[in-house]
Amino acid sequence: MTYLVCLLCTGLTGSRAGDEGHQPHSAQIGSALVFFGICVRVFTVKIGGNQRLLSYGDLRCWDRILAFFFCCEWVKGCNMADERMKAVVEEDEVEDGDGEVGLQEMVERDEEDDELELSLSLVNQGWNVGFTSDWPAMDTSIWSEQGAGSSLDVKRSGRVRQLDTGEGTKDWGDVGDSREGLMETEPLPHISPLFDADYLDMKMGTIFGREKDTQHKRPKVVSNQHEVPTSSANPIVPAEIIDFMTLSSSYQPAEMKGQTSNVQSDDGTNKPDGGAIYGDNIGARNAEDIEFRMDLSDDLLHLVFSFLGQKDLCRAGSTCRQWLIASANENFWRCLKFENTRISLQNFIAICDRYPNATEVNMIGTPNADALVNIAMNSLRRLEILILDKGHFSDGFFHTLTDCPALTSLKISDASIGNGIQEITVYHENLHELQMIKCRVLRVIVRCPQLQTLSLKRSSMAHALLTCPQLHLLDLSSCHKLSDTAIRTAAMSCPLLASLDMSSCSCVTDETIREIASTCPNLCILDASNCPNISLESVKLPKLMDLRLESCEGIISASITAISYSQMLESLKLDNCSMLTAMTLDMPNLQSISLVHLRKFVYLDLRSPVLKQIKISRCSALQDISIISNVLQKLVLQKQESLAYLSLQCQSLLELDLSNCDSLTDSLEVFNNEGGCPKLRSLILDNCQSLSIIDIKSYTLVSLSLDGCRAITTLELSCPNLQKLNLDGCDHLEKASFCPVGLESLDLGICPRLCVLRIEAPKMLRLELKGCGVLSEAYINCPCLESLDASFCSKLSDESLYRTAGSCPQIRSLVLTSCLSVGPNGLSSLHMLQHLALLDLSYTFVTNLQPVFDNCFKLETLRLSACKYLTDSSLGALYKESALPDLRELDLSYSSAGQLDILDILIYCTNLAHLNLNGCANIHQLVWSNLSQKFVNFCSPSILKDSDKDVYLKNGRLLQILNCTGCPNITKAHISSSANCFYLSKINLNLSINLKEVDLACGSLCILNLSYCNSLEFLMLKCPRLNNLQLLACSMLAEEQLEAAISQCPTLEIMNIDFCPKIHSKDFYKWHAICPSLKRIQSCS
């Protein structure tokens, strides 16, 4: 239902506003959406909190609340659209004349629109207010009736709007049978903003056509048939002169007396109701009941409105009478916030008179705030908080403060105070907080006996006299004109002062701080940053807790002695103190310290059992750090180029970052179990170029990063709980020991100098030694290891492989690519790997594969690429003895296997699914036909039982992919249907430059690649499922051969015939006629 109503409202807006050239008020529609979201949120909270059991009527009202808000805001938007359209027309005229409109004029026009909107909202809420002379005025609407169903001439602001409601016109579109009759027979008059919402509420009740139920809070309203009064006899009461109290249910305009509507009570009797919607008496009505329903209870509505700001409350009050009364609740107007809002003097007076109990007024960014504030102070006797800015406030304003006895907080910013000649006196007995920030004033005298907080930040005063015995916080920061004597006098007049900020007051001296320290014994917060004359010589502040001395050039190592007297100090900031060279502090309560950009700082000795945070950065000369703390958990010492020695006694330290500490030496005993960091979990030593030997023994270390430590030659780790290790860039590592570690995976990267490796990792599953070219001794004890990649470990001995197989029996994947030292003795250790499924012996000197055939019964993948020393008998066990029965993938690329061996593998290894023969120079003809019966007759009974012969003849081979890329001597490829290759789906014969004849009859073949077969002349294809045919650069293939071949491929979709000079026709339609399934041809033309 909600979506239908939204569509209706959109249609209404489009038809009305669009016909007159106006656009809907986007801000009001946006507010409606936001408000409806808040309603749903509160409704959910009420349900989830079980604060109230909502009735069925409450549940049904939510699908209409958005409709009411949309429709009423639409009427309000139309009222404002004339003024906006007028501005648009004026803009067009100016643009036609001058070519452009000034930015300042557009900004002022937008501000006037906002001011008008606030005025309309105040009028709708019933305040008796008017307009200033510079505001756009609202003319009283004048209308006259010419008969039922006739046109109405509405005059507004000098413009005429024709609303044709004749029999043949439907202003609101075709919205259904229930609305059509109403819209055709009933004129739509112009009504005042006070009653337009009620009028539309009545309309919506008719459109929805819902009946009264016993739980309904509002009675059914039945309108009488009255003629529309004429403008001369019964003019409509202007909205701007209606009093706020007219919103009560008993109100009825004098012109409408005697024209009452009947209210149908629950018992069915009609009773006169003075509060009936007076829009019922406008125009001729259909003789039907009109129902208005709003099931929101007052308490729920108040809860919803509590989430709205004042502007949204004004808009919500323009919706209907119930919402108007609810939005005017005094609880919502305790804080009058007019930030960046233009408001006239009349409206401001009306608001202050309507809500005399307001406790806060915020006028930041409000024009003429200096003129309005006096009204607020005279009208709002309970005012507690007053916030102002950007104005001129004379001495009289501060004298008026006494008229607000409840005032406790006054905040003024960026304002001009006084006349620039005489002093300003601020006197108030109950004022607790005073802020005069960035104010222009000559001299200030503050006499507030209860004042506790005073801020004169960035003010241009030259003198400040304070009589504030209760003052606790004084902010004089950036008061450049205040002299050292003035600051001293002001602070010393406040004996209870606890916080003093005099940062950027360059005239402050040590004498001033000493006098303040003796007069204000309770001082606990001091900010003297950017005071170059301060050195803290002979200054003692025993109760100081927070000290900030940033950019103080007078702070030197001797100043630290004065700081050490403040035993209660908790926070210390010494950033940019360029003359500080060393620091030794023993502070029992220090929790935070900041040392940033200390160019001459060399030595730090810090002892504090409660230190929680330390920041050391850009101290390029720092060489020695010693820290003692019982609660410090994270320490970051990045980019300390000169740091050579580190001593830590941090019992709770968990994370330590020493990245880019180029001078850090090998003395890392601090990280061991007996060191000062027994709970350390994360250690980062990235790019520490001076580290050469690392020996860490820690039970708690979980993560270690040594990225870019190129000088490390020896690494010894004994960390049982270590789970993450980064050794990228440690290319000078020679010896490594991980005994024991908790790693699950380890990648040593490229360590070309690593020769000795010891690993004891009971949880390790994956180990990569790729690139350890000189690794000769490997002691690997990982009982759970499943994958071992020792590629390019050319020095790996058979003894190391044998030890590894014995201690890692769970290995499933073993990669020994380019392990040139592995021989028969090493392969004999494979009998201990009962779960081995992948074995890669590519680029090795292996000649005898019998240990593999005898021991690896579960092997599924065998890679023998580029094994140049394989003999004719090396692969005999595969097809003669049915070795490796689970083998699915075999790679013989660039090997020395002969043609007979390859053909026998094709014949007898029926379980193979993937066969790579790339670059095999010994293949001359790949003829695979009539092999099924040959296979059945050849196999001995021990190899193939009689029961299995029928199975094979029925199911065929499992081969799916056959790769013969780059076989230079192959001349013929023939695979007949009798080969029983039922699953063969992909064949690669590309780059076979001597291939001349291809004859394939494969029922499941999908992809055939014959690219760069320059000698191909004969092509015969019987492949009903072929989808992709690649014939790139087949220069000898004739067009007739191709036509005959693809005619037998009914599912071919893609064909590449680029650089085929004998295929003259590139016409797609010709080839599509030969092969109707063809969708794309790749060719040069």
Side-chain angles (χ1 to χ4, degrees):
M1 181 62 71
T2 300
Y3 299 106
L4 296 177
V5 174
C6 291
L7 291 175
L8 171 62
C9 297
T10 305
L12 294 178
T13 306
S15 60
R16 288 296 182 187
D19 294 342
E20 297 298 331
H22 303 305
Q23 297 296 331
H25 200 277
S26 60
Q28 295 171 342
I29 295 178
S31 299
L33 292 173
V34 174
F35 179 76
F36 183 70
I38 295 175
C39 293
V40 174
R41 174 184 175 189
V42 175
F43 173 74
T44 304
V45 170
K46 296 289 284 186
I47 292 296
N50 294 325
Q51 298 181 14
R52 172 177 174 268
L53 182 61
L54 300 181
S55 64
Y56 177 69
D58 288 328
L59 296 176
R60 291 189 302 168
C61 76
W62 291 98
D63 65 346
R64 307 196 331 270
I65 183 172
L66 183 60
F68 292 143
F69 206 89
F70 256 100
C71 291
C72 299
E73 287 291 333
W74 166 73
V75 174
K76 179 179 174 184
C78 290
N79 292 339
M80 297 183 61
D82 289 337
E83 296 297 333
R84 296 184 181 274
M85 189 59 196
K86 183 178 179 181
V88 173
V89 173
E90 293 175 355
E91 280 186 1
D92 294 339
E93 294 175 357
V94 173
E95 288 178 354
D96 293 339
D98 300 336
E100 62 180 3
V101 179
L103 179 61
Q104 184 65 27
E105 295 179 1
M106 292 189 290
V107 172
E108 293 177 355
R109 192 175 297 115
D110 291 339
E111 293 177 351
E112 292 178 358
D113 293 339
D114 295 338
E115 184 176 2
L116 175 61
E117 181 177 344
L118 178 59
S119 175
L120 290 173
S121 301
L122 296 174
V123 169
N124 290 341
Q125 295 208 17
W127 282 300
N128 188 7
V129 297
F131 299 97
T132 58
S133 59
D134 57 343
W135 282 17
M138 290 177 49
D139 296 337
T140 304
S141 301
I142 303 176
W143 55 272
S144 61
E145 184 196 30
Q146 299 178 1
S150 63
S151 299
L152 298 176
D153 295 336
V154 182
K155 300 179 180 180
R156 300 179 66 253
S157 302
R159 302 184 68 233
V160 179
R161 175 181 294 177
Q162 297 291 337
L163 301 178
D164 189 0
T165 59
E167 185 66 21
T169 303
K170 300 178 183 179
D171 293 336
W172 287 8
D174 298 332
V175 293
D177 297 338
S178 61
R179 305 170 219 170
E180 184 176 359
L182 178 63
M183 299 306 168
E184 289 180 354
T185 60
E186 181 180 54
L188 180 63
H190 175 75
I191 54 180
S192 65
L194 177 63
F195 298 106
D196 55 1
D198 293 334
Y199 179 77
L200 282 178
D201 289 339
M202 176 191 67
K203 287 292 186 183
M204 296 305 296
T206 302
I207 292 174
F208 284 110
R210 296 180 176 172
E211 294 298 327
K212 177 75 173 69
D213 54 46
T214 58
Q215 297 181 355
H216 201 278
K217 293 183 177 62
R218 295 191 176 216
K220 183 181 294 185
V221 180
V222 182
S223 61
N224 290 334
Q225 299 295 324
H226 294 285
E227 295 296 332
V228 179
T230 61
S231 59
S232 59
N234 297 312
I236 292 179
V237 180
E240 52 267 34
I241 65 173
I242 296 178
D243 187 70
F244 184 84
M245 297 307 295
T246 61
L247 302 174
S248 62
S249 59
S250 61
Y251 170 76
Q252 190 174 8
E255 295 80 357
M256 301 302 298
K257 288 184 178 180
Q259 301 177 0
T260 61
S261 61
N262 294 333
V263 179
Q264 184 175 350
S265 62
D266 294 339
D267 56 2
T269 61
N270 293 336
K271 299 180 181 180
D273 180 25
I277 304 173
Y278 99 97
D280 294 344
N281 302 300
I282 300 176
R285 303 285 189 231
N286 292 334
E288 59 182 11
D289 293 344
I290 298 178
E291 178 186 5
F292 171 79
R293 301 178 60 180
M294 174 60 70
D295 292 327
L296 276 174
S297 62
D298 291 340
D299 58 345
L300 184 59
L301 192 60
H302 285 184
L303 181 59
V304 171
F305 282 178
S306 67
F307 290 91
L308 299 182
Q310 292 177 358
K311 289 185 179 180
D312 291 330
L313 283 173
C314 292
R315 294 167 180 167
S318 303
T319 304
C320 65
R321 180 167 296 146
Q322 183 191 15
W323 286 24
L324 175 59
I325 297 174
S327 64
N329 190 285
E330 190 174 10
N331 293 329
F332 300 146
W333 299 86
R334 294 287 186 184
C335 301
L336 303 180
K337 299 181 179 180
F338 302 102
E339 296 99 329
N340 304 313
T341 302
R342 293 189 62 183
I343 181 170
S344 67
L345 181 63
Q346 293 84 347
N347 283 343
F348 190 80
I349 295 174
I351 294 175
C352 293
D353 292 342
R354 179 65 184 89
Y355 301 107
N357 295 326
T359 60
E360 179 181 346
V361 174
N362 189 336
M363 304 181 69
I364 294 179
T366 303
N368 301 324
D370 47 358
L372 301 177
V373 65
N374 292 325
I375 299 174
M377 291 190 296
N378 292 329
S379 303
L380 308 177
R381 296 299 179 177
R382 298 185 179 181
L383 185 64
E384 297 178 0
I385 301 174
L386 181 60
I387 304 175
L388 307 168
D389 77 338
K390 293 183 181 179
H392 178 77
F393 301 97
S394 62
D395 185 61
F397 163 76
F398 294 96
H399 289 300
T400 313
L401 291 178
T402 56
D403 295 337
C404 300
L407 188 66
T408 60
S409 178
L410 174 61
K411 301 178 182 179
I412 305 175
S413 61
D414 197 12
S416 177
I417 297 177
N419 55 12
I421 301 176
Q422 60 185 4
E423 63 187 19
I424 296 298
T425 302
V426 182
Y427 173 75
H428 198 282
E429 293 184 354
N430 296 320
L431 194 65
H432 287 72
E433 181 182 6
L434 175 60
Q435 293 186 11
M436 299 173 64
I437 300 175
K438 199 179 178 181
C439 292
R440 297 168 293 280
V441 60
L442 177 63
R443 181 187 179 96
V444 173
I445 300 176
V446 181
R447 296 175 181 174
C448 301
Q450 301 297 327
L451 191 65
Q452 298 181 4
T453 301
L454 174 61
S455 177
L456 302 176
K457 182 178 182 180
R458 300 178 65 186
S459 295
S460 60
M461 66 197 70
H463 302 281
L465 299 179
L466 307 181
T467 305
C468 307
Q470 301 296 325
L471 191 66
H472 289 79
L473 186 149
L474 177 60
D475 187 354
L476 300 175
S477 58
S478 300
C479 293
H480 302 291
K481 293 186 178 181
L482 277 180
S483 63
D484 184 36
T485 304
I487 295 175
R488 183 190 314 169
T489 304
M492 292 176 61
S493 63
C494 306
L496 300 181
L497 191 64
S499 176
L500 175 61
D501 187 351
M502 49 185 181
S503 57
S504 300
C505 295
S506 56
C507 58
V508 177
T509 62
D510 288 335
E511 181 64 26
T512 296
I513 297 181
R514 281 194 295 268
E515 294 293 337
I516 294 175
S518 61
T519 308
C520 304
N522 297 322
L523 189 65
C524 59
I525 300 176
L526 176 61
D527 189 349
S529 302
N530 296 289
C531 296
N533 299 323
I534 290 179
S535 64
L536 296 183
E537 181 181 356
S538 302
V539 176
K540 295 182 180 181
L541 296 168
K543 293 187 178 181
L544 196 63
M545 300 176 64
D546 190 342
L547 178 59
R548 301 174 186 176
L549 299 172
E550 301 177 25
S551 301
C552 293
E553 298 179 358
I555 299 298
I556 57 178
S557 300
S559 304
I560 305 302
T561 304
I563 296 176
S564 62
Y565 283 109
S566 303
Q567 291 295 301
M568 298 182 63
L569 192 65
E570 296 180 356
S571 177
L572 176 61
K573 288 189 176 181
L574 297 173
D575 299 346
N576 298 299
C577 294
S578 57
M579 304 304 294
L580 185 62
T581 58
M583 177 188 296
T584 300
L585 273 179
D586 188 356
M587 310 294 291
N589 296 304
L590 188 63
Q591 299 181 12
S592 174
I593 185 172
S594 178
L595 304 170
V596 178
H597 197 200
L598 306 180
R599 294 176 295 175
K600 298 182 179 181
F601 195 55
V602 177
Y603 175 76
L604 173 63
D605 184 3
L606 184 60
R607 294 181 294 276
S608 175
V610 295
L611 186 64
K612 295 181 179 179
Q613 181 179 2
I614 179 171
K615 183 177 181 181
I616 302 176
S617 177
R618 300 170 62 189
C619 299
S620 56
L622 186 59
Q623 300 178 5
D624 193 342
I625 295 179
S626 178
I627 300 175
I628 298 176
S629 173
N630 294 331
V631 297
L632 185 64
Q633 295 185 356
K634 184 176 181 179
L635 179 59
V636 178
L637 299 173
Q638 296 180 353
K639 296 183 179 180
Q640 305 300 324
E641 295 87 353
S642 301
L643 183 62
Y645 179 76
L646 178 65
S647 176
L648 299 177
Q649 293 293 328
C650 303
Q651 302 300 317
S652 301
L653 188 64
L654 301 177
E655 301 179 24
L656 177 59
D657 190 348
L658 296 170
S659 301
N660 299 287
C661 295
D662 296 336
S663 301
L664 191 64
T665 61
D666 299 332
S667 300
L668 299 178
E669 294 83 1
V670 64
F671 308 125
N672 294 332
N673 296 321
E674 298 80 10
C677 305
K679 296 183 179 180
L680 188 64
R681 294 176 57 86
S682 175
L683 177 60
I684 301 176
L685 298 171
D686 295 345
N687 300 310
C688 293
Q689 304 296 337
S690 298
L691 291 177
S692 59
I693 300 175
I694 294 181
D695 184 4
I696 300 177
K697 298 179 175 63
S698 174
Y699 293 112
T700 61
L701 193 63
V702 175
S703 175
L704 174 62
S705 179
L706 299 171
D707 188 4
C709 297
R710 302 184 181 278
I712 295 180
T713 58
T714 303
L715 175 62
E716 295 185 5
L717 298 178
S718 179
C719 306
N721 295 310
L722 187 64
Q723 298 178 7
K724 184 178 180 181
L725 177 63
N726 186 1
L727 296 175
D728 291 344
C730 299
D731 47 13
H732 289 75
L733 189 62
E734 299 177 0
K735 296 181 181 180
S737 174
F738 308 94
C739 301
V741 292
L743 296 170
E744 294 184 358
S745 65
L746 176 61
D747 186 357
L748 290 178
I750 299 177
C751 298
R753 300 185 181 184
L754 184 63
C755 57
V756 179
L757 175 64
R758 296 178 182 272
I759 300 178
E760 181 180 342
K763 298 180 181 179
M764 186 171 292
L765 302 176
R766 185 176 63 88
L767 176 60
E768 292 191 13
L769 307 176
K770 191 182 303 181
C772 300
V774 297
L775 182 62
S776 58
E777 300 181 19
Y779 303 89
I780 302 174
N781 184 11
C782 304
C784 296
L785 190 65
E786 295 181 356
S787 175
L788 174 60
D789 188 350
S791 302
F792 306 100
C793 295
S794 56
K795 300 295 184 180
L796 187 64
S797 62
D798 289 345
E799 183 180 358
S800 297
L801 181 59
Y802 197 91
R803 282 196 304 265
T804 301
S807 59
C808 307
Q810 302 296 326
I811 292 180
R812 294 180 52 84
S813 174
L814 180 60
V815 179
L816 299 174
T817 302
S818 297
C819 293
L820 305 180
S821 299
V822 174
N825 294 332
L827 295 179
S828 62
S829 64
L830 298 179
H831 72 277
M832 293 181 283
L833 303 179
Q834 298 297 322
H835 303 282
L836 190 64
L838 185 149
L839 178 61
D840 191 345
L841 297 174
S842 301
Y843 296 92
T844 60
F845 297 152
V846 63
T847 58
N848 185 7
L849 295 175
Q850 196 61 38
V852 178
F853 299 147
D854 293 340
N855 301 312
C856 303
F857 301 106
K858 295 184 179 180
L859 196 64
E860 298 178 0
T861 301
L862 178 60
R863 296 172 184 170
L864 301 172
S865 179
C867 292
K868 301 293 185 179
Y869 296 94
L870 291 177
T871 61
D872 294 338
S873 61
S874 298
L875 301 173
L878 279 176
Y879 53 86
K880 293 181 180 179
E881 302 174 4
S882 295
L884 308 180
D886 294 335
L887 192 64
R888 295 292 181 269
E889 180 180 350
L890 179 60
D891 189 356
L892 297 175
S893 300
Y894 305 99
S895 66
S896 58
Q899 169 144 345
L900 294 179
D901 289 336
I902 294 174
L903 291 178
D904 287 337
I905 290 174
L906 288 172
I907 296 171
Y908 305 117
C909 297
T910 59
N911 291 329
L912 279 179
H914 192 166
L915 179 60
N916 288 335
L917 301 174
N918 302 324
C920 291
N922 295 328
I923 302 179
H924 299 280
Q925 291 186 351
L926 184 61
V927 179
W928 196 358
S929 61
N930 298 323
L931 299 176
S932 300
Q933 189 62 36
K934 177 181 178 181
F935 166 76
V936 173
N937 295 333
F938 179 85
C939 293
S940 61
S942 60
I943 299 177
L944 187 64
K945 299 179 181 179
D946 294 337
S947 59
D948 295 336
K949 296 180 181 179
D950 297 334
V951 174
Y952 165 74
L953 293 175
K954 179 179 180 181
N955 297 330
R957 292 172 174 78
L958 299 179
L959 189 63
Q960 299 178 12
I961 299 175
L962 177 60
N963 291 325
C964 297
T965 299
C967 296
N969 298 320
I970 188 172
T971 59
K972 180 178 181 182
H974 176 68
I975 302 177
S976 67
S977 59
S978 60
N980 289 350
C981 297
F982 299 144
Y983 304 101
L984 187 59
S985 61
K986 182 177 181 180
I987 298 178
N988 286 328
L989 291 169
N990 54 312
L991 296 174
S992 299
I993 57 177
N994 291 315
L995 183 63
K996 296 182 179 180
E997 181 179 346
V998 174
D999 185 358
L1000 303 177
C1002 303
S1004 299
L1005 189 63
C1006 297
I1007 300 175
L1008 176 60
N1009 191 351
L1010 298 173
S1011 300
Y1012 299 100
C1013 294
N1014 301 328
S1015 302
L1016 183 63
E1017 297 177 354
F1018 178 80
L1019 179 62
M1020 176 80 64
L1021 300 178
K1022 295 181 180 179
C1023 306
R1025 296 185 181 180
L1026 186 63
N1027 178 268
N1028 191 327
L1029 177 59
Q1030 297 293 321
L1031 298 172
L1032 177 65
C1034 292
S1035 56
M1036 301 300 295
L1037 184 63
E1039 185 173 331
E1040 295 77 10
Q1041 286 289 328
L1042 181 58
E1043 292 178 1
I1046 67 172
S1047 64
Q1048 303 296 321
C1049 304
T1051 61
L1052 184 63
E1053 296 182 357
I1054 301 173
M1055 183 172 65
N1056 188 348
I1057 53 176
D1058 280 348
F1059 304 105
C1060 296
K1062 291 191 175 183
I1063 300 178
H1064 303 287
S1065 177
K1066 310 295 183 181
D1067 187 6
F1068 172 78
Y1069 296 101
K1070 172 186 176 181
W1071 297 109
H1072 186 268
I1074 299 173
C1075 182
S1077 61
L1078 198 61
K1079 295 181 179 179
R1080 185 174 64 182
I1081 296 179
Q1082 298 176 354
S1083 61
C1084 297
S1085 59

